[in-house]
Amino acid sequence: MSATLTVDDPTLLGFAEEVGETGPVAIVGGQTRWDIGGESAGEPRLLRAPEGIVDYKPEEMTVQVRAGTTVADLHVALAEKGQRTALPDRGGTVGGALAVGENDIRALGRGRVRESLLQVRYVSAEGRIVSSGGPTVKNVSGFDLPRLMVGSLGTLGCIAEVILRTNPIPAVSRWLHADRVDAGTTFDGLLHPSAVLTDGSGTWVQLEGHGADVDQQASILQTLGSFTEVDGPPVLPEHRWSLSPSEAGAFPASDGDLAFVAAIGLGLVFADAPQPLRRLDPAVTLINERMKQNFDPTGRLNPGRDAGRK
Amino acid sequence: MVLSKLRELAGGSKDESSGDPFVDALRNALSADRVKYDGAHRSLHSHDASVFDGGNSGPVVYPETTAEVQAVVCLANEHQRNVVPRGAGTGLAGGAIPLGVPVVVAVTKMNAILEVDEANSIAWVEPGVINLDLTRHLAPLGYHFAPDPSSQQVCTVGGNVANNSGGPHCLAYGVTNAHVMAMEIVLPSGDAVMLGGLDAEPQGFDLRGVFVGSEGTLGIVTKIAVRITKNRPAVRTLLMAFDDVRDAANTVSDVIADGIVPAAMEVMDKAITAAVENYVGAGYPTDAAAVLLAEVDGLDSGVDIDADRIAEIGRANNATDVRLAGSDEERMLLWKGRKTAFGAVAQIAPDYYLHDTVVPRSALADVLDQIYAISDKYELLIMNVFHAGDGNLHPLIVFDGRDEGVLDRVHAAGGEIITASLDAGGVLSGEHGIGVEKQKYMDRMFTDDDLDHQNRLRQAFDPGCRTNPGKVIPSGHSCADIQSLRSVPKEVWG
Ligand SMILES: Cc1cc2nc3c(=O)[nH]c(=O)nc-3n(C[C@H](O)[C@H](O)[C@H](O)COP(=O)(O)OP(=O)(O)OC[C@H]3O[C@@H](n4cnc5c(N)ncnc54)[C@H](O)[C@@H]3O)c2cc1C
Ligand SMILES: Cc1cc2nc3c(=O)[nH]c(=O)nc-3n(C[C@H](O)[C@H](O)[C@H](O)COP(=O)(O)OP(=O)(O)OC[C@H]3O[C@@H](n4cnc5c(N)ncnc54)[C@H](O)[C@@H]3O)c2cc1C
């Protein structure tokens, strides 16, 4: 092992020491999704991940950032160079957004959270700093721990620092809205819109790109209905449902007066009632349990939470 | 190629009885003609497209259904034998090379495109489907499968999944991982499970994401829901020539710095360009030190804006010629040249060793300089044709294996290329994987703790390390692998 691989950054070492080797711990981000994945148990010590941007390389479209940085602060810094990331910006932290793994409702335009993580550094249950992935935009060197960390709710490791893929903010972004148009037909008529949302009566579309392209797509919209310019998406109901794109397009499956906003082509739905708990195949649950056992034998990382109960 | 040879042999050779109870059990479970254990089959399946020897195949089986794959895995467990999944055998890191005399599960007969589901923008396919066959099947519907490795005429979608393969057009669209929604897997236990799902955010750990790129060590994929990508109405392909390969490399990093993510950006240096021109006559300039192929796609106005800007950046970096493909035919021909580059090399020397590292795009020019110096030092011809947009280098060492001591020089030069890439802030592999090729370099990129955690991931799927043992993680870090390799019954297939 070459000496340069050992992490000697005092901030990360300090965080590893805080996490330590014993006793239940949980990382607190912006607490915007604090209750997801079941009740916290065992009164864990609550810690915060380090903060700050370590290295931003706009010309590589990558940014190295501490997990405790807020997504908002990160995006302000990136916007200065005309870039952004796939992470949703709803008041949370980089580490929280990755640990939760939920996509932005405009993911068709800005990418999926799980594809934006290039390298992760986390503190293990044994208090060790573990790195996986790499700083380049393409990489298949070894097993893919970054993918494992996204959506793991901090139950396998405490995310300390990451390298994220950034992408350019398009020259133009417009939201348009119309009543009484079919959202599915609208989606099919466009070439990769950034978002097509419907609440069952109205349809919202986000178009992004070069001005002329956006104008061209907007003129297609005018052939489908009387779309008018709006400021942004509608207010989203509280509960998040994960469905296939075809199910989301036909939401709600049964009659009822559920208020909802469905993201067409993506499969996300926000509704005012929670999604019935989905059941995992027992053989898959077994791998999940073994994974947890292998990474956190004493169950000290974010006890009570379960990525299978999101 | 490998596949046609394989097909020829599948019909051709006569099996002899070995008296091995494992083979008998396999024949009972499948059918006798789909369990091969003659010398020709075993020898063919002891290799892939890499230069690595040292493989030793046990019986080779050709299952046709998931249930048959499960039966094979269960029998292997019962008989304490290892299992190695195999697609077309085009892997370049030795991933499909059988270690520990395993049963080789060749999925090439599981090659049906099961369903195209436009409402969910996916297609369900079996793992043995050839990459290009899928895109051809989708073409009339206006879609394609975005990962387009140069080997796409022969490699399988299952192999693409296992290696998380890339291709020229993965720059904007992402590598295989971004195009797999769900998969049916036969686990090392013999259970068949679905990983991932068609829903936006499947619950539990992202086992789908973890499986992609795991090089056949976590189980056998038997069915895949791949994302299908709508064909773009407008495409512009630019060919730029440069007198210095550094200028081509700098153009690539300046384009990205300018905020443009083209569909593809590929560079070929003078030696490979000459070989390709000779081979297919794609219309590349042969007097240039490097050519850059850049493609943008989308809507008409936007692609014109981007193509103009890329041309401008190229000229600012001293491009001697900038040409926009005037027709679809010309565009296809330019790509044909790029994609047959490796075939073209066969005219120059009988053997080649294709490397695969990634460096930050801004380091491309410097690392290329070092590669040319390594070429001089070892007196080896090294050609460069690479996915420049992602910083993914593919130095191609051409040689004649009959030359005394040449392989030592080839390996030494390769080692220096890897070192130069890592020193520039790069990584070991962009798309070919670790396999057996780069195991010994893993501790140059990862600490003991890092490797220990990779091993924990692996063992959550395969506690006994019976699926493709001896790969990816260096042996010192994976005791269970060593055990499973040692536990092979001595008396059979020594
Ligand atoms: C009103 C509202 C609307 C929202 N809308 C959307 C939306 O439209 N789209 C969307 O995608 N998201 C949405 N979110 C979710 C939210 O913005 C993200 O998921 C968020 O980034 C979570 O980050 P956090 O820092 O608040 O995490 P927290 O809530 O603090 O933590 C969440 C979980 O992650 C763990 N965790 C946090 N940091 C780490 C770390 N460094 N290492 C390991 N584990 C860690 C915590 O222990 C906890 O279990 C919304 C949230 C709110 C409040
Ligand atoms: C000329 C040439 C050009 C190439 N160009 C590229 C390129 O541009 N980009 C690129 O990424 N690669 C390229 N490759 C490498 C190779 O073609 C890819 O890695 C390809 O995806 C391998 O597919 P295969 O079907 O041949 O797999 P194999 O070589 O048979 O197997 C590869 C690995 O996948 C595993 N595997 C196969 N099938 C399954 C299954 N069903 N379930 C689980 N594991 C399985 C094997 O165990 C092995 O570890 C090239 C190779 C050649 C020879």
Side-chain angles (χ1 to χ4, degrees):
Chain A
M1 180 185 107
S2 94
T4 54
L5 291 177
T6 320
V7 176
D8 55 6
D9 178 336
T11 306
L12 296 187
L13 291 175
F15 181 55
E17 203 158 307
E18 272 190 88
V19 172
E21 294 168 50
T22 52
V25 286
I27 309 302
V28 184
Q31 295 205 312
T32 65
R33 269 285 189 268
W34 187 246
D35 295 322
I36 197 171
E39 292 273 303
S40 178
E43 295 177 17
R45 269 187 300 132
L46 299 182
L47 302 174
R48 287 189 173 274
E51 285 173 43
I53 293 171
V54 181
D55 191 12
Y56 175 29
K57 293 198 172 85
E59 73 286 359
E60 296 293 337
M61 290 193 190
T62 61
V63 63
Q64 183 174 5
V65 58
R66 312 270 200 213
T69 314
T70 64
V71 177
D73 284 349
L74 173 65
H75 282 175
V76 167
L78 299 185
E80 280 176 25
K81 301 283 181 190
Q83 297 184 353
R84 64 187 184 190
T85 71
L87 303 192
D89 178 6
R90 302 295 287 241
T93 59
V94 168
L98 292 167
V100 173
E102 294 174 345
N103 289 307
D104 195 286
I105 199 145
R106 301 157 297 179
L108 295 177
R110 49 180 62 207
R112 288 175 163 76
V113 170
R114 66 166 153 93
E115 282 147 33
S116 69
L117 180 60
L118 300 174
Q119 185 186 66
V120 64
R121 292 219 151 111
Y122 60 88
V123 178
S124 73
E126 291 89 5
R128 313 285 299 179
I129 297 172
V130 176
S131 307
S132 181
T136 57
V137 292
K138 198 171 174 189
N139 179 13
V140 291
S141 312
F143 289 96
D144 202 343
L145 294 170
R147 243 41 61 204
L148 187 61
M149 287 296 140
V150 174
S152 67
L153 284 184
T155 59
L156 301 176
C158 303
I159 305 172
E161 183 185 291
V162 294
I163 298 181
L164 299 172
R165 181 196 297 273
T166 65
N167 50 63
I169 298 173
V172 171
S173 169
R174 286 166 67 184
W175 278 96
L176 296 120
H177 170 264
D179 278 320
R180 288 182 304 278
V181 291
D182 181 64
T185 313
T186 306
F187 180 81
D188 291 340
L190 298 169
L191 185 75
H192 83 112
S194 289
V196 175
L197 312 177
T198 180
D199 64 1
S201 63
T203 296
W204 288 256
V205 177
Q206 187 188 30
L207 299 174
E208 293 185 303
H210 287 297
D213 285 349
V214 169
D215 290 346
Q216 188 263 3
Q217 293 281 291
S219 68
I220 292 176
L221 283 180
Q222 295 314 331
T223 66
L224 299 170
S226 50
F227 277 87
T228 55
E229 213 83 20
V230 289
D231 288 340
V235 175
L236 303 177
E238 186 187 347
H239 299 284
R240 198 180 173 94
W241 295 46
S242 168
L243 300 170
S244 70
S246 60
E247 287 166 337
F251 195 84
S254 56
D255 291 339
D257 44 11
L258 210 56
F260 71 94
V261 173
I264 304 302
L266 190 61
L268 271 182
V269 174
F270 287 81
D272 60 3
Q275 181 170 19
L277 200 65
R278 297 167 285 167
R279 245 174 51 88
L280 273 175
D281 182 332
V284 175
T285 301
L286 181 67
I287 305 175
N288 282 327
E289 285 169 359
R290 258 198 234 128
M291 199 70 82
K292 173 71 177 168
Q293 173 67 26
N294 290 356
F295 279 77
D296 183 19
T298 63
R300 63 181 292 252
L301 301 179
N302 217 353
R305 314 281 200 204
D306 178 356
R309 280 170 46 205
K310 275 190 295 189
Chain B
M1 273 208 47
V2 182
L3 190 75
S4 58
K5 235 197 272 177
L6 201 156
R7 280 182 177 147
E8 189 186 294
L9 279 167
S13 56
K14 269 253 178 305
D15 292 340
E16 291 152 32
S17 177
S18 76
D20 184 292
F22 180 45
V23 173
D24 293 341
L26 290 170
R27 299 184 104 180
N28 272 334
L30 274 61
S31 57
D33 62 323
R34 289 186 290 118
V35 179
K36 304 284 187 185
Y37 57 96
D38 59 285
H41 260 88
R42 287 183 46 216
S43 159
L44 184 61
H45 289 83
S46 295
H47 297 91
D48 61 5
S50 70
V51 301
F52 296 94
D53 288 332
N56 191 357
S57 158
V60 181
V61 297
Y62 297 89
E64 289 176 350
T65 61
T66 302
E68 287 187 349
V69 174
Q70 289 181 273
V72 170
V73 172
C74 289
L75 285 172
N77 287 340
E78 216 171 279
H79 292 259
Q80 300 194 351
R81 299 295 297 270
N82 301 326
V83 176
V84 171
R86 184 180 176 100
T90 67
L92 289 164
I97 286 188
L99 301 177
V101 213
V103 52
V104 171
V105 182
V107 299
T108 43
K109 285 188 196 292
M110 296 175 74
N111 62 356
I113 296 170
L114 301 168
E115 183 194 356
V116 178
D117 174 359
E118 287 185 77
N120 285 312
S121 300
I122 57 118
W124 280 105
V125 303
E126 290 186 326
V129 168
I130 306 290
N131 174 299
L132 191 59
D133 288 351
L134 175 57
T135 281
R136 289 206 175 113
H137 183 88
L138 296 171
L141 302 168
Y143 293 92
H144 65 284
F145 179 51
D148 60 338
S150 305
S151 51
Q152 71 182 144
Q153 300 196 17
V154 277
C155 68
T156 65
V157 178
N160 298 163
V161 167
N163 280 356
N164 195 11
S165 299
H169 290 86
C170 291
L171 176 55
Y173 294 104
V175 293
T176 302
N177 209 334
H179 302 278
V180 175
M181 298 291 288
M183 287 178 290
E184 180 187 75
I185 306 294
V186 173
L187 293 170
S189 62
D191 289 318
V193 296
M194 195 63 80
L195 301 183
L198 302 189
D199 54 328
E201 286 153 8
Q203 24 159 207
F205 299 131
D206 183 9
L207 302 180
R208 171 214 59 83
V210 159
F211 190 95
V212 178
S214 62
E215 303 191 39
T217 62
L218 303 183
I220 303 177
V221 58
T222 46
K223 212 190 276 179
I224 309 153
V226 295
R227 203 186 287 282
I228 55 177
T229 304
K230 260 191 201 172
N231 295 341
R232 301 298 188 241
V235 184
R236 301 286 183 273
T237 307
L238 284 161
L239 179 72
M240 294 192 246
F242 298 87
D243 278 342
D244 186 338
V245 69
R246 290 188 68 95
D247 290 333
N250 289 331
T251 300
V252 168
S253 82
D254 288 354
V255 167
I256 298 291
D258 204 61
I260 302 173
V261 184
M265 273 201 287
E266 300 284 308
V267 168
M268 290 190 274
D269 70 5
K270 186 169 191 160
I272 192 85
T273 305
V276 167
E277 244 341 85
N278 208 8
Y279 192 55
V280 288
Y284 298 147
T286 47
D287 51 348
V291 297
L292 166 61
L293 208 52
E295 185 161 282
V296 288
D297 63 12
L299 293 162
D300 266 313
S301 324
V303 292
D304 283 339
I305 296 170
D306 285 344
D308 285 350
R309 182 70 192 128
I310 292 170
E312 206 177 303
I313 293 170
R315 287 195 195 94
N317 279 294
N318 312 313
T320 53
D321 186 23
V322 177
R323 193 185 346 142
L324 185 71
S327 64
D328 267 358
E329 291 70 43
E330 192 181 347
R331 203 171 67 73
M332 298 312 274
L333 196 57
L334 290 176
W335 278 114
K336 186 176 175 197
R338 166 61 186 87
K339 292 206 172 172
T340 50
F342 302 114
V345 170
Q347 318 159 83
I348 296 173
D351 302 298
Y352 66 77
Y353 191 132
L354 180 58
H355 274 275
D356 165 48
T357 63
V358 193
V359 300
R361 296 175 261 232
S362 52
L364 275 172
D366 286 343
V367 176
L368 280 167
D369 274 350
Q370 293 180 56
I371 291 172
Y372 291 120
I374 294 165
S375 162
D376 290 344
K377 175 176 166 189
Y378 289 98
E379 297 177 2
L380 289 165
L381 176 58
I382 305 184
M383 305 179 168
N384 286 285
V385 43
F386 56 100
H387 310 307
D390 319 286
N392 190 180
L393 287 164
H394 276 333
L396 184 74
I397 309 178
V398 291
F399 61 98
D400 184 338
R402 291 164 300 190
D403 292 350
E404 178 91 19
V406 69
L407 259 177
D408 292 340
R409 279 188 290 137
V410 168
H411 284 301
E416 289 199 22
I417 290 170
I418 291 168
T419 303
S421 302
L422 291 179
D423 288 349
V427 300
L428 287 173
S429 173
E431 50 185 31
H432 296 169
I434 302 299
V436 294
E437 182 196 15
K438 286 182 174 152
Q439 273 175 314
K440 60 177 176 294
Y441 297 105
M442 284 287 273
D443 64 0
R444 302 282 301 280
M445 197 173 150
F446 299 111
T447 65
D448 292 353
D449 284 325
D450 302 343
L451 292 172
D452 170 43
H453 271 230
Q454 293 192 25
N455 205 27
R456 293 182 198 206
L457 181 160
R458 156 89 188 284
Q459 294 199 349
F461 280 83
D462 187 9
C465 289
R466 289 222 164 264
T467 308
N468 211 357
K471 304 289 168 65
V472 186
I473 296 179
S475 58
H477 295 269
S478 177
C479 321
D481 264 6
I482 298 176
Q483 275 165 17
S484 73
L485 289 174
R486 281 198 191 126
S487 70
V488 178
K490 258 239 216 45
E491 64 277 16
V492 282
W493 304 300

